[in-house]
Amino acid sequence: GAGVSQSPSNKVTEKGKDVELRCDPISGHTALYWYRQRLGQGLEFLIYFQGNSAPDKSGLPSDRFSAERTGESVSTLTIQRTQQEDSAVYLCASSTGLAGKETQYFGPGTRLLVL
Amino acid sequence: KQEVTQIPAALSVPEGENLVLNCSFTDSAIYNLQWFRQDPGKGLTSLLLIQSSQREQTSGRLNASLDKSSGRSTLYIAASQPGDSATYLCAVFSGTYKYIFGTGTRLKVLA
């Protein structure tokens, strides 16, 4: 079946612009995660959605970052007034069952470059 | 605060060698630990998932061990091949519903 997909695959934007990144999880996966990976660094947790529960937003670096998820399907990560330090690969992952018990499946990521 | 460290940061070996990648974590109260592979320009692929109650998991030429009390995990790769060249990441899940990732080991297997 289809894996996790993300769009766009690459995004170049100017400082100060807003960007919206999209993640389509595997069908039936109730858990969805967003991560950020800066060049040469590890993955940094941003936000976690589990079913209809309130999301865990504790990893969002500033109030310029927000994310939404419609039910157990598509999620969008929005970055407002982008800064150069936002340049990174944004990765989405989904999993089924209890968080922490199941394997995470990752999308290919969106490479964001803020000029 | 959970911190995950991977050593070495980079490793280059000739084809056919057996090798060990190390992962250490500061808080032993984890639910599970996962090893991932990341190829350049691509997302992560899960290799092995070890639950906190398990000591090891095996998949083909890969074997991962977990010692919770000492805060360590190792990924053993037998008979390495050039196709194994990638960055290997470990991640621990220690509650609050998020994984904490190490910075990875960049492996290059020379033909």
PDB file of all heavy atoms in Angstrom, chain A residues 25-63:
ATOM      1  N   PRO A  25      -0.681  10.749   5.852  1.00  0.00           N
ATOM      2  CA  PRO A  25      -0.198   9.549   6.550  1.00  0.00           C
ATOM      3  C   PRO A  25      -0.736   8.284   5.893  1.00  0.00           C
ATOM      4  O   PRO A  25      -1.587   8.342   5.007  1.00  0.00           O
ATOM      5  CB  PRO A  25      -0.783   9.719   7.958  1.00  0.00           C
ATOM      6  CG  PRO A  25      -2.059  10.456   7.719  1.00  0.00           C
ATOM      7  CD  PRO A  25      -1.774  11.397   6.587  1.00  0.00           C
ATOM      8  N   ILE A  26      -0.240   7.164   6.350  1.00  0.00           N
ATOM      9  CA  ILE A  26      -0.764   5.886   5.893  1.00  0.00           C
ATOM     10  C   ILE A  26      -2.201   5.740   6.398  1.00  0.00           C
ATOM     11  O   ILE A  26      -2.485   6.050   7.565  1.00  0.00           O
ATOM     12  CB  ILE A  26       0.122   4.730   6.390  1.00  0.00           C
ATOM     13  CG1 ILE A  26       1.502   4.813   5.720  1.00  0.00           C
ATOM     14  CG2 ILE A  26      -0.531   3.377   6.133  1.00  0.00           C
ATOM     15  CD1 ILE A  26       2.522   3.848   6.263  1.00  0.00           C
ATOM     16  N   SER A  27      -3.079   5.282   5.529  1.00  0.00           N
ATOM     17  CA  SER A  27      -4.487   5.136   5.885  1.00  0.00           C
ATOM     18  C   SER A  27      -4.645   4.229   7.100  1.00  0.00           C
ATOM     19  O   SER A  27      -4.060   3.144   7.173  1.00  0.00           O
ATOM     20  CB  SER A  27      -5.254   4.546   4.689  1.00  0.00           C
ATOM     21  OG  SER A  27      -6.610   4.358   5.035  1.00  0.00           O
ATOM     22  N   GLY A  28      -5.424   4.702   8.062  1.00  0.00           N
ATOM     23  CA  GLY A  28      -5.670   3.921   9.270  1.00  0.00           C
ATOM     24  C   GLY A  28      -4.713   4.216  10.402  1.00  0.00           C
ATOM     25  O   GLY A  28      -4.938   3.772  11.535  1.00  0.00           O
ATOM     26  N   HIS A  29      -3.661   4.967  10.133  1.00  0.00           N
ATOM     27  CA  HIS A  29      -2.717   5.329  11.199  1.00  0.00           C
ATOM     28  C   HIS A  29      -3.295   6.477  12.013  1.00  0.00           C
ATOM     29  O   HIS A  29      -3.595   7.538  11.488  1.00  0.00           O
ATOM     30  CB  HIS A  29      -1.365   5.719  10.608  1.00  0.00           C
ATOM     31  CG  HIS A  29      -0.532   4.541  10.233  1.00  0.00           C
ATOM     32  ND1 HIS A  29       0.816   4.653   9.953  1.00  0.00           N
ATOM     33  CD2 HIS A  29      -0.837   3.229  10.115  1.00  0.00           C
ATOM     34  CE1 HIS A  29       1.298   3.454   9.680  1.00  0.00           C
ATOM     35  NE2 HIS A  29       0.307   2.576   9.770  1.00  0.00           N
ATOM     36  N   THR A  30      -3.416   6.237  13.316  1.00  0.00           N
ATOM     37  CA  THR A  30      -4.018   7.254  14.166  1.00  0.00           C
ATOM     38  C   THR A  30      -3.002   8.266  14.687  1.00  0.00           C
ATOM     39  O   THR A  30      -3.362   9.369  15.051  1.00  0.00           O
ATOM     40  CB  THR A  30      -4.712   6.601  15.367  1.00  0.00           C
ATOM     41  OG1 THR A  30      -3.739   5.836  16.107  1.00  0.00           O
ATOM     42  CG2 THR A  30      -5.835   5.677  14.913  1.00  0.00           C
ATOM     43  N   ALA A  31      -1.732   7.884  14.725  1.00  0.00           N
ATOM     44  CA  ALA A  31      -0.711   8.781  15.266  1.00  0.00           C
ATOM     45  C   ALA A  31       0.062   9.434  14.123  1.00  0.00           C
ATOM     46  O   ALA A  31       0.394   8.784  13.127  1.00  0.00           O
ATOM     47  CB  ALA A  31       0.251   8.020  16.166  1.00  0.00           C
ATOM     48  N   LEU A  32       0.347  10.715  14.280  1.00  0.00           N
ATOM     49  CA  LEU A  32       1.099  11.462  13.266  1.00  0.00           C
ATOM     50  C   LEU A  32       2.071  12.400  13.969  1.00  0.00           C
ATOM     51  O   LEU A  32       1.698  13.071  14.938  1.00  0.00           O
ATOM     52  CB  LEU A  32       0.144  12.246  12.364  1.00  0.00           C
ATOM     53  CG  LEU A  32       0.748  12.965  11.161  1.00  0.00           C
ATOM     54  CD1 LEU A  32      -0.240  12.986  10.003  1.00  0.00           C
ATOM     55  CD2 LEU A  32       1.207  14.366  11.490  1.00  0.00           C
ATOM     56  N   TYR A  33       3.306  12.419  13.502  1.00  0.00           N
ATOM     57  CA  TYR A  33       4.367  13.237  14.092  1.00  0.00           C
ATOM     58  C   TYR A  33       4.969  14.151  13.028  1.00  0.00           C
ATOM     59  O   TYR A  33       5.107  13.763  11.876  1.00  0.00           O
ATOM     60  CB  TYR A  33       5.513  12.348  14.597  1.00  0.00           C
ATOM     61  CG  TYR A  33       5.152  11.306  15.635  1.00  0.00           C
ATOM     62  CD1 TYR A  33       4.536  10.114  15.280  1.00  0.00           C
ATOM     63  CD2 TYR A  33       5.488  11.507  16.972  1.00  0.00           C
ATOM     64  CE1 TYR A  33       4.247   9.154  16.230  1.00  0.00           C
ATOM     65  CE2 TYR A  33       5.206  10.543  17.930  1.00  0.00           C
ATOM     66  CZ  TYR A  33       4.584   9.367  17.552  1.00  0.00           C
ATOM     67  OH  TYR A  33       4.305   8.416  18.499  1.00  0.00           O
ATOM     68  N   TRP A  34       5.356  15.342  13.454  1.00  0.00           N
ATOM     69  CA  TRP A  34       6.184  16.216  12.638  1.00  0.00           C
ATOM     70  C   TRP A  34       7.527  16.377  13.338  1.00  0.00           C
ATOM     71  O   TRP A  34       7.591  16.599  14.552  1.00  0.00           O
ATOM     72  CB  TRP A  34       5.544  17.593  12.477  1.00  0.00           C
ATOM     73  CG  TRP A  34       4.434  17.676  11.478  1.00  0.00           C
ATOM     74  CD1 TRP A  34       3.088  17.642  11.717  1.00  0.00           C
ATOM     75  CD2 TRP A  34       4.575  17.842  10.061  1.00  0.00           C
ATOM     76  NE1 TRP A  34       2.388  17.772  10.548  1.00  0.00           N
ATOM     77  CE2 TRP A  34       3.267  17.895   9.513  1.00  0.00           C
ATOM     78  CE3 TRP A  34       5.667  17.950   9.190  1.00  0.00           C
ATOM     79  CZ2 TRP A  34       3.037  18.062   8.150  1.00  0.00           C
ATOM     80  CZ3 TRP A  34       5.428  18.118   7.836  1.00  0.00           C
ATOM     81  CH2 TRP A  34       4.128  18.162   7.323  1.00  0.00           C
ATOM     82  N   TYR A  35       8.599  16.334  12.518  1.00  0.00           N
ATOM     83  CA  TYR A  35       9.957  16.553  13.003  1.00  0.00           C
ATOM     84  C   TYR A  35      10.652  17.558  12.097  1.00  0.00           C
ATOM     85  O   TYR A  35      10.293  17.724  10.934  1.00  0.00           O
ATOM     86  CB  TYR A  35      10.787  15.261  12.973  1.00  0.00           C
ATOM     87  CG  TYR A  35      10.302  14.144  13.856  1.00  0.00           C
ATOM     88  CD1 TYR A  35       9.409  13.200  13.375  1.00  0.00           C
ATOM     89  CD2 TYR A  35      10.774  14.017  15.159  1.00  0.00           C
ATOM     90  CE1 TYR A  35       8.972  12.154  14.180  1.00  0.00           C
ATOM     91  CE2 TYR A  35      10.345  12.969  15.967  1.00  0.00           C
ATOM     92  CZ  TYR A  35       9.447  12.049  15.470  1.00  0.00           C
ATOM     93  OH  TYR A  35       9.026  11.012  16.266  1.00  0.00           O
ATOM     94  N   ARG A  36      11.692  18.183  12.631  1.00  0.00           N
ATOM     95  CA  ARG A  36      12.541  19.073  11.845  1.00  0.00           C
ATOM     96  C   ARG A  36      13.964  18.528  11.925  1.00  0.00           C
ATOM     97  O   ARG A  36      14.426  18.122  13.003  1.00  0.00           O
ATOM     98  CB  ARG A  36      12.481  20.492  12.395  1.00  0.00           C
ATOM     99  CG  ARG A  36      13.391  21.474  11.692  1.00  0.00           C
ATOM    100  CD  ARG A  36      13.130  22.899  12.136  1.00  0.00           C
ATOM    101  NE  ARG A  36      13.553  23.176  13.488  1.00  0.00           N
ATOM    102  CZ  ARG A  36      13.450  24.372  14.068  1.00  0.00           C
ATOM    103  NH1 ARG A  36      12.925  25.381  13.386  1.00  0.00           N
ATOM    104  NH2 ARG A  36      13.844  24.556  15.304  1.00  0.00           N
ATOM    105  N   GLN A  37      14.664  18.550  10.793  1.00  0.00           N
ATOM    106  CA  GLN A  37      16.044  18.091  10.755  1.00  0.00           C
ATOM    107  C   GLN A  37      16.881  19.152  10.062  1.00  0.00           C
ATOM    108  O   GLN A  37      16.806  19.320   8.841  1.00  0.00           O
ATOM    109  CB  GLN A  37      16.169  16.745  10.032  1.00  0.00           C
ATOM    110  CG  GLN A  37      17.577  16.165  10.107  1.00  0.00           C
ATOM    111  CD  GLN A  37      17.677  14.783   9.461  1.00  0.00           C
ATOM    112  OE1 GLN A  37      16.970  14.475   8.502  1.00  0.00           O
ATOM    113  NE2 GLN A  37      18.553  13.941   9.989  1.00  0.00           N
ATOM    114  N   ARG A  38      17.660  19.863  10.861  1.00  0.00           N
ATOM    115  CA  ARG A  38      18.573  20.852  10.296  1.00  0.00           C
ATOM    116  C   ARG A  38      19.804  20.139   9.755  1.00  0.00           C
ATOM    117  O   ARG A  38      20.128  19.023  10.178  1.00  0.00           O
ATOM    118  CB  ARG A  38      18.949  21.881  11.345  1.00  0.00           C
ATOM    119  CG  ARG A  38      17.794  22.802  11.712  1.00  0.00           C
ATOM    120  CD  ARG A  38      18.242  23.819  12.697  1.00  0.00           C
ATOM    121  NE  ARG A  38      17.296  24.905  12.810  1.00  0.00           N
ATOM    122  CZ  ARG A  38      16.926  25.427  13.973  1.00  0.00           C
ATOM    123  NH1 ARG A  38      17.410  24.959  15.087  1.00  0.00           N
ATOM    124  NH2 ARG A  38      16.063  26.435  13.995  1.00  0.00           N
ATOM    125  N   LEU A  39      20.494  20.785   8.859  1.00  0.00           N
ATOM    126  CA  LEU A  39      21.631  20.189   8.177  1.00  0.00           C
ATOM    127  C   LEU A  39      22.654  19.670   9.188  1.00  0.00           C
ATOM    128  O   LEU A  39      23.098  20.417  10.059  1.00  0.00           O
ATOM    129  CB  LEU A  39      22.283  21.220   7.246  1.00  0.00           C
ATOM    130  CG  LEU A  39      23.389  20.694   6.334  1.00  0.00           C
ATOM    131  CD1 LEU A  39      22.827  19.658   5.369  1.00  0.00           C
ATOM    132  CD2 LEU A  39      24.044  21.836   5.560  1.00  0.00           C
ATOM    133  N   GLY A  40      22.975  18.393   9.075  1.00  0.00           N
ATOM    134  CA  GLY A  40      23.990  17.797   9.927  1.00  0.00           C
ATOM    135  C   GLY A  40      23.554  17.530  11.350  1.00  0.00           C
ATOM    136  O   GLY A  40      24.379  17.176  12.198  1.00  0.00           O
ATOM    137  N   GLN A  41      22.268  17.687  11.623  1.00  0.00           N
ATOM    138  CA  GLN A  41      21.781  17.484  12.983  1.00  0.00           C
ATOM    139  C   GLN A  41      20.748  16.367  13.033  1.00  0.00           C
ATOM    140  O   GLN A  41      20.286  15.873  12.019  1.00  0.00           O
ATOM    141  CB  GLN A  41      21.190  18.793  13.520  1.00  0.00           C
ATOM    142  CG  GLN A  41      22.202  19.917  13.594  1.00  0.00           C
ATOM    143  CD  GLN A  41      21.643  21.155  14.267  1.00  0.00           C
ATOM    144  OE1 GLN A  41      20.660  21.089  14.994  1.00  0.00           O
ATOM    145  NE2 GLN A  41      22.287  22.277  14.038  1.00  0.00           N
ATOM    146  N   GLY A  42      20.400  15.963  14.243  1.00  0.00           N
ATOM    147  CA  GLY A  42      19.402  14.938  14.429  1.00  0.00           C
ATOM    148  C   GLY A  42      18.001  15.467  14.246  1.00  0.00           C
ATOM    149  O   GLY A  42      17.783  16.634  13.955  1.00  0.00           O
ATOM    150  N   LEU A  43      17.030  14.590  14.416  1.00  0.00           N
ATOM    151  CA  LEU A  43      15.634  14.989  14.288  1.00  0.00           C
ATOM    152  C   LEU A  43      15.155  15.677  15.556  1.00  0.00           C
ATOM    153  O   LEU A  43      15.421  15.218  16.662  1.00  0.00           O
ATOM    154  CB  LEU A  43      14.758  13.763  14.017  1.00  0.00           C
ATOM    155  CG  LEU A  43      14.577  13.386  12.561  1.00  0.00           C
ATOM    156  CD1 LEU A  43      15.871  12.819  12.004  1.00  0.00           C
ATOM    157  CD2 LEU A  43      13.434  12.406  12.398  1.00  0.00           C
ATOM    158  N   GLU A  44      14.427  16.739  15.359  1.00  0.00           N
ATOM    159  CA  GLU A  44      13.881  17.512  16.461  1.00  0.00           C
ATOM    160  C   GLU A  44      12.358  17.378  16.431  1.00  0.00           C
ATOM    161  O   GLU A  44      11.721  17.739  15.436  1.00  0.00           O
ATOM    162  CB  GLU A  44      14.312  18.969  16.267  1.00  0.00           C
ATOM    163  CG  GLU A  44      13.763  19.948  17.260  1.00  0.00           C
ATOM    164  CD  GLU A  44      14.118  21.379  16.866  1.00  0.00           C
ATOM    165  OE1 GLU A  44      14.696  21.576  15.788  1.00  0.00           O
ATOM    166  OE2 GLU A  44      13.796  22.283  17.634  1.00  0.00           O
ATOM    167  N   PHE A  45      11.781  16.861  17.506  1.00  0.00           N
ATOM    168  CA  PHE A  45      10.336  16.690  17.585  1.00  0.00           C
ATOM    169  C   PHE A  45       9.639  18.043  17.554  1.00  0.00           C
ATOM    170  O   PHE A  45      10.047  18.989  18.225  1.00  0.00           O
ATOM    171  CB  PHE A  45       9.980  15.952  18.872  1.00  0.00           C
ATOM    172  CG  PHE A  45       8.517  15.986  19.220  1.00  0.00           C
ATOM    173  CD1 PHE A  45       7.630  15.102  18.619  1.00  0.00           C
ATOM    174  CD2 PHE A  45       8.034  16.900  20.139  1.00  0.00           C
ATOM    175  CE1 PHE A  45       6.278  15.131  18.939  1.00  0.00           C
ATOM    176  CE2 PHE A  45       6.692  16.939  20.464  1.00  0.00           C
ATOM    177  CZ  PHE A  45       5.815  16.051  19.869  1.00  0.00           C
ATOM    178  N   LEU A  46       8.550  18.140  16.783  1.00  0.00           N
ATOM    179  CA  LEU A  46       7.773  19.376  16.724  1.00  0.00           C
ATOM    180  C   LEU A  46       6.395  19.198  17.357  1.00  0.00           C
ATOM    181  O   LEU A  46       6.024  19.929  18.274  1.00  0.00           O
ATOM    182  CB  LEU A  46       7.629  19.844  15.274  1.00  0.00           C
ATOM    183  CG  LEU A  46       8.910  20.221  14.543  1.00  0.00           C
ATOM    184  CD1 LEU A  46       8.597  20.614  13.100  1.00  0.00           C
ATOM    185  CD2 LEU A  46       9.627  21.360  15.253  1.00  0.00           C
ATOM    186  N   ILE A  47       5.620  18.229  16.843  1.00  0.00           N
ATOM    187  CA  ILE A  47       4.236  18.087  17.288  1.00  0.00           C
ATOM    188  C   ILE A  47       3.767  16.664  17.039  1.00  0.00           C
ATOM    189  O   ILE A  47       4.265  15.981  16.144  1.00  0.00           O
ATOM    190  CB  ILE A  47       3.317  19.110  16.581  1.00  0.00           C
ATOM    191  CG1 ILE A  47       1.906  19.119  17.181  1.00  0.00           C
ATOM    192  CG2 ILE A  47       3.269  18.836  15.076  1.00  0.00           C
ATOM    193  CD1 ILE A  47       1.052  20.296  16.687  1.00  0.00           C
ATOM    194  N   TYR A  48       2.811  16.221  17.861  1.00  0.00           N
ATOM    195  CA  TYR A  48       2.291  14.852  17.788  1.00  0.00           C
ATOM    196  C   TYR A  48       0.767  14.896  17.856  1.00  0.00           C
ATOM    197  O   TYR A  48       0.198  15.556  18.719  1.00  0.00           O
ATOM    198  CB  TYR A  48       2.861  14.038  18.948  1.00  0.00           C
ATOM    199  CG  TYR A  48       2.114  12.787  19.315  1.00  0.00           C
ATOM    200  CD1 TYR A  48       2.089  11.694  18.460  1.00  0.00           C
ATOM    201  CD2 TYR A  48       1.453  12.683  20.539  1.00  0.00           C
ATOM    202  CE1 TYR A  48       1.415  10.534  18.809  1.00  0.00           C
ATOM    203  CE2 TYR A  48       0.770  11.523  20.890  1.00  0.00           C
ATOM    204  CZ  TYR A  48       0.763  10.459  20.023  1.00  0.00           C
ATOM    205  OH  TYR A  48       0.096   9.299  20.363  1.00  0.00           O
ATOM    206  N   PHE A  49       0.113  14.199  16.930  1.00  0.00           N
ATOM    207  CA  PHE A  49      -1.332  14.035  16.922  1.00  0.00           C
ATOM    208  C   PHE A  49      -1.660  12.563  17.192  1.00  0.00           C
ATOM    209  O   PHE A  49      -1.039  11.668  16.625  1.00  0.00           O
ATOM    210  CB  PHE A  49      -1.915  14.406  15.559  1.00  0.00           C
ATOM    211  CG  PHE A  49      -1.770  15.845  15.175  1.00  0.00           C
ATOM    212  CD1 PHE A  49      -0.658  16.282  14.467  1.00  0.00           C
ATOM    213  CD2 PHE A  49      -2.746  16.772  15.520  1.00  0.00           C
ATOM    214  CE1 PHE A  49      -0.523  17.609  14.107  1.00  0.00           C
ATOM    215  CE2 PHE A  49      -2.617  18.104  15.156  1.00  0.00           C
ATOM    216  CZ  PHE A  49      -1.504  18.522  14.449  1.00  0.00           C
ATOM    217  N   GLN A  50      -2.653  12.315  18.029  1.00  0.00           N
ATOM    218  CA  GLN A  50      -3.128  10.947  18.275  1.00  0.00           C
ATOM    219  C   GLN A  50      -4.655  10.967  18.244  1.00  0.00           C
ATOM    220  O   GLN A  50      -5.295  11.468  19.171  1.00  0.00           O
ATOM    221  CB  GLN A  50      -2.621  10.421  19.610  1.00  0.00           C
ATOM    222  CG  GLN A  50      -3.221   9.074  20.025  1.00  0.00           C
ATOM    223  CD  GLN A  50      -2.897   7.949  19.060  1.00  0.00           C
ATOM    224  OE1 GLN A  50      -1.745   7.744  18.684  1.00  0.00           O
ATOM    225  NE2 GLN A  50      -3.913   7.227  18.633  1.00  0.00           N
ATOM    226  N   GLY A  51      -5.211  10.428  17.186  1.00  0.00           N
ATOM    227  CA  GLY A  51      -6.650  10.339  17.058  1.00  0.00           C
ATOM    228  C   GLY A  51      -7.298  11.703  17.219  1.00  0.00           C
ATOM    229  O   GLY A  51      -6.885  12.690  16.626  1.00  0.00           O
ATOM    230  N   ASN A  52      -8.327  11.742  18.071  1.00  0.00           N
ATOM    231  CA  ASN A  52      -9.046  12.987  18.310  1.00  0.00           C
ATOM    232  C   ASN A  52      -8.581  13.704  19.575  1.00  0.00           C
ATOM    233  O   ASN A  52      -9.199  14.693  19.993  1.00  0.00           O
ATOM    234  CB  ASN A  52     -10.549  12.706  18.411  1.00  0.00           C
ATOM    235  CG  ASN A  52     -11.101  12.221  17.080  1.00  0.00           C
ATOM    236  OD1 ASN A  52     -10.764  12.752  16.035  1.00  0.00           O
ATOM    237  ND2 ASN A  52     -11.942  11.191  17.130  1.00  0.00           N
ATOM    238  N   SER A  53      -7.497  13.212  20.167  1.00  0.00           N
ATOM    239  CA  SER A  53      -6.981  13.849  21.380  1.00  0.00           C
ATOM    240  C   SER A  53      -6.305  15.171  21.043  1.00  0.00           C
ATOM    241  O   SER A  53      -5.917  15.409  19.903  1.00  0.00           O
ATOM    242  CB  SER A  53      -5.974  12.929  22.080  1.00  0.00           C
ATOM    243  OG  SER A  53      -6.558  11.698  22.409  1.00  0.00           O
ATOM    244  N   ALA A  54      -6.182  16.011  22.067  1.00  0.00           N
ATOM    245  CA  ALA A  54      -5.478  17.279  21.869  1.00  0.00           C
ATOM    246  C   ALA A  54      -4.025  16.992  21.496  1.00  0.00           C
ATOM    247  O   ALA A  54      -3.371  16.145  22.109  1.00  0.00           O
ATOM    248  CB  ALA A  54      -5.546  18.113  23.142  1.00  0.00           C
ATOM    249  N   PRO A  55      -3.490  17.680  20.499  1.00  0.00           N
ATOM    250  CA  PRO A  55      -2.115  17.402  20.075  1.00  0.00           C
ATOM    251  C   PRO A  55      -1.095  17.851  21.115  1.00  0.00           C
ATOM    252  O   PRO A  55      -1.337  18.758  21.896  1.00  0.00           O
ATOM    253  CB  PRO A  55      -1.978  18.219  18.790  1.00  0.00           C
ATOM    254  CG  PRO A  55      -2.992  19.307  18.907  1.00  0.00           C
ATOM    255  CD  PRO A  55      -4.141  18.723  19.672  1.00  0.00           C
ATOM    256  N   ASP A  56       0.040  17.180  21.103  1.00  0.00           N
ATOM    257  CA  ASP A  56       1.180  17.579  21.925  1.00  0.00           C
ATOM    258  C   ASP A  56       2.012  18.559  21.111  1.00  0.00           C
ATOM    259  O   ASP A  56       2.724  18.159  20.195  1.00  0.00           O
ATOM    260  CB  ASP A  56       2.004  16.352  22.302  1.00  0.00           C
ATOM    261  CG  ASP A  56       3.252  16.695  23.105  1.00  0.00           C
ATOM    262  OD1 ASP A  56       3.547  17.891  23.306  1.00  0.00           O
ATOM    263  OD2 ASP A  56       3.962  15.759  23.512  1.00  0.00           O
ATOM    264  N   LYS A  57       1.947  19.839  21.458  1.00  0.00           N
ATOM    265  CA  LYS A  57       2.630  20.887  20.710  1.00  0.00           C
ATOM    266  C   LYS A  57       3.933  21.317  21.369  1.00  0.00           C
ATOM    267  O   LYS A  57       4.498  22.360  21.012  1.00  0.00           O
ATOM    268  CB  LYS A  57       1.721  22.109  20.563  1.00  0.00           C
ATOM    269  CG  LYS A  57       0.379  21.816  19.911  1.00  0.00           C
ATOM    270  CD  LYS A  57      -0.456  23.093  19.815  1.00  0.00           C
ATOM    271  CE  LYS A  57      -1.813  22.821  19.175  1.00  0.00           C
ATOM    272  NZ  LYS A  57      -2.632  24.053  19.060  1.00  0.00           N
ATOM    273  N   SER A  58       4.388  20.524  22.312  1.00  0.00           N
ATOM    274  CA  SER A  58       5.498  20.972  23.151  1.00  0.00           C
ATOM    275  C   SER A  58       6.798  21.191  22.391  1.00  0.00           C
ATOM    276  O   SER A  58       7.690  21.883  22.892  1.00  0.00           O
ATOM    277  CB  SER A  58       5.728  19.962  24.282  1.00  0.00           C
ATOM    278  OG  SER A  58       6.064  18.695  23.752  1.00  0.00           O
ATOM    279  N   GLY A  59       6.925  20.635  21.198  1.00  0.00           N
ATOM    280  CA  GLY A  59       8.156  20.786  20.444  1.00  0.00           C
ATOM    281  C   GLY A  59       8.177  21.959  19.484  1.00  0.00           C
ATOM    282  O   GLY A  59       9.219  22.256  18.884  1.00  0.00           O
ATOM    283  N   LEU A  60       7.073  22.631  19.317  1.00  0.00           N
ATOM    284  CA  LEU A  60       7.038  23.761  18.384  1.00  0.00           C
ATOM    285  C   LEU A  60       7.959  24.862  18.897  1.00  0.00           C
ATOM    286  O   LEU A  60       7.826  25.305  20.036  1.00  0.00           O
ATOM    287  CB  LEU A  60       5.614  24.280  18.222  1.00  0.00           C
ATOM    288  CG  LEU A  60       4.625  23.306  17.573  1.00  0.00           C
ATOM    289  CD1 LEU A  60       3.235  23.912  17.511  1.00  0.00           C
ATOM    290  CD2 LEU A  60       5.100  22.903  16.175  1.00  0.00           C
ATOM    291  N   PRO A  61       8.898  25.335  18.061  1.00  0.00           N
ATOM    292  CA  PRO A  61       9.933  26.259  18.538  1.00  0.00           C
ATOM    293  C   PRO A  61       9.455  27.671  18.805  1.00  0.00           C
ATOM    294  O   PRO A  61      10.098  28.392  19.570  1.00  0.00           O
ATOM    295  CB  PRO A  61      10.975  26.228  17.417  1.00  0.00           C
ATOM    296  CG  PRO A  61      10.221  25.815  16.201  1.00  0.00           C
ATOM    297  CD  PRO A  61       9.139  24.911  16.668  1.00  0.00           C
ATOM    298  N   SER A  62       8.371  28.086  18.181  1.00  0.00           N
ATOM    299  CA  SER A  62       7.862  29.436  18.410  1.00  0.00           C
ATOM    300  C   SER A  62       6.409  29.491  17.979  1.00  0.00           C
ATOM    301  O   SER A  62       5.894  28.550  17.371  1.00  0.00           O
ATOM    302  CB  SER A  62       8.687  30.464  17.627  1.00  0.00           C
ATOM    303  OG  SER A  62       8.333  30.446  16.256  1.00  0.00           O
ATOM    304  N   ASP A  63       5.752  30.605  18.279  1.00  0.00           N
ATOM    305  CA  ASP A  63       4.342  30.738  17.903  1.00  0.00           C
ATOM    306  C   ASP A  63       4.168  30.990  16.405  1.00  0.00           C
ATOM    307  O   ASP A  63       3.043  31.111  15.923  1.00  0.00           O
ATOM    308  CB  ASP A  63       3.650  31.838  18.722  1.00  0.00           C
ATOM    309  CG  ASP A  63       4.313  33.200  18.558  1.00  0.00           C
ATOM    310  OD1 ASP A  63       5.216  33.326  17.702  1.00  0.00           O
ATOM    311  OD2 ASP A  63       3.922  34.123  19.283  1.00  0.00           O
TER     312      ASP A  63
END
